[in-house]
Amino acid sequence: MKIKEIAEILEAKVVCGEDDIDRDIRCGFASDLMSDVLTLDSENLALITGLANMQVIRTAEMADVNCIVFVRDKHVSNEMIEVAKENDMVLLECKYSMFNTIGKLFQAGLAPVY
Amino acid sequence: MEFNYEVEGGNFAKAGYAASSVKKVLKELNVDPKIIKRVVVALYEGEVNVVAHAYRGNIKVDIDTERIFIEIKDEGPGIPDINLAMQVGYSTASAMVREMGFGAGMGLPNMKRNADTLDISSSVGKGTVVELTTYLVK
């Protein structure tokens, strides 16, 4: 699934990385606990989280995650966007709850990590 | 080559700065991306530990052709029971640390999983030293 499709399904706003929305995403992982994200080994993964702080971006940087969906109408800061840009990440902001977001993506065929 | 980074206890805005810098260096050195990921994940968890628990710390990263050696040394409360701290789920982290997305008792286990060797020595009331080695050639 392309990032562009994820954005459409979630009616999400692309706040960073507009040029890379044609990139393919193979699976999704939803967590507000960054240590859990740091245990993953998957490539082309979208992180879905309700946590909006710099540690989410740093975690994604270390875990080679380049697409993050922020749910529950959480907003990213300019500092977060700056570091995300340096690392070629796409950031999406979506108004849906975590449950709703994941349900929509799962139904559309986005695979779980495990 | 050797790199040194200062870590400020409690400053979550800067946590990850050292791991981010080391990642850039290892990329430039054309280290296998899988090894880079293991090293920076372990280092990042270690950096977060210093920010979360200590007053200040210093990270030394020494890279040669055979291995990457990291020493994370902090001035802080120390760890009274290292075996307990190594258990998944055991945590003494504050509410603030949990709000940052950490503090679930996974830091040290994650570090162990991502390093070839992990050594911890700690002195209560003084601080902790964590040494990690990752081999580039097996």
Side-chain angles (χ1 to χ4, degrees), chain B residues 34-49:
Chain B
K34 286 201 171 89
I35 293 180
I36 295 182
K37 186 170 169 180
R38 295 184 70 212
V39 170
V40 299
V41 164
L43 174 55
Y44 179 50
E45 285 279 16
E47 207 179 336
V48 167
N49 272 348

Side-chain angles (χ1 to χ4, degrees), chain A residues 85-101:
Chain A
K85 271 187 187 156
E86 272 175 36
N87 291 285
D88 301 319
M89 291 175 196
V90 181
L91 306 184
L92 306 176
E93 286 178 352
C94 134
K95 286 194 163 63
Y96 293 122
S97 68
M98 180 78 105
F99 186 81
N100 203 348
T101 302

Side-chain angles (χ1 to χ4, degrees), chain B residues 4-12 14-19 43-44 46-52 54-60 71-75:
Chain B
N4 282 281
Y5 305 92
E6 300 287 326
V7 184
E8 222 179 289
N11 189 350
F12 266 99
K14 275 182 154 177
Y17 178 82
L43 174 55
Y44 179 50
E47 207 179 336
V48 167
N49 272 348
V50 174
V51 174
Y55 316 128
R56 68 186 65 82
N58 184 270
I59 294 171
K60 185 176 94 181
E71 182 198 69
I72 306 167
K73 200 176 187 174
D74 72 48
E75 287 171 38

Side-chain angles (χ1 to χ4, degrees), chain A residues 12 18 57 64 71 92 107:
Chain A
E18 189 91 44
I57 308 293
D64 293 328
V71 301
L92 306 176
Q107 208 162 34

Side-chain angles (χ1 to χ4, degrees), chain B residues 69-124:
Chain B
F69 172 77
I70 298 173
E71 182 198 69
I72 306 167
K73 200 176 187 174
D74 72 48
E75 287 171 38
I79 306 170
D81 185 339
I82 292 172
N83 284 332
L84 190 58
M86 288 304 297
Q87 279 178 25
V88 174
Y90 178 79
S91 177
T92 58
S94 66
M96 184 190 76
V97 174
R98 288 167 202 265
E99 273 168 30
M100 289 292 144
F102 292 91
M106 291 176 69
L108 285 172
N110 264 358
M111 288 167 77
K112 191 175 181 179
R113 234 166 40 96
N114 284 292
D116 291 323
T117 68
L118 171 81
D119 289 303
I120 308 174
S121 56
S122 190
S123 154
V124 172

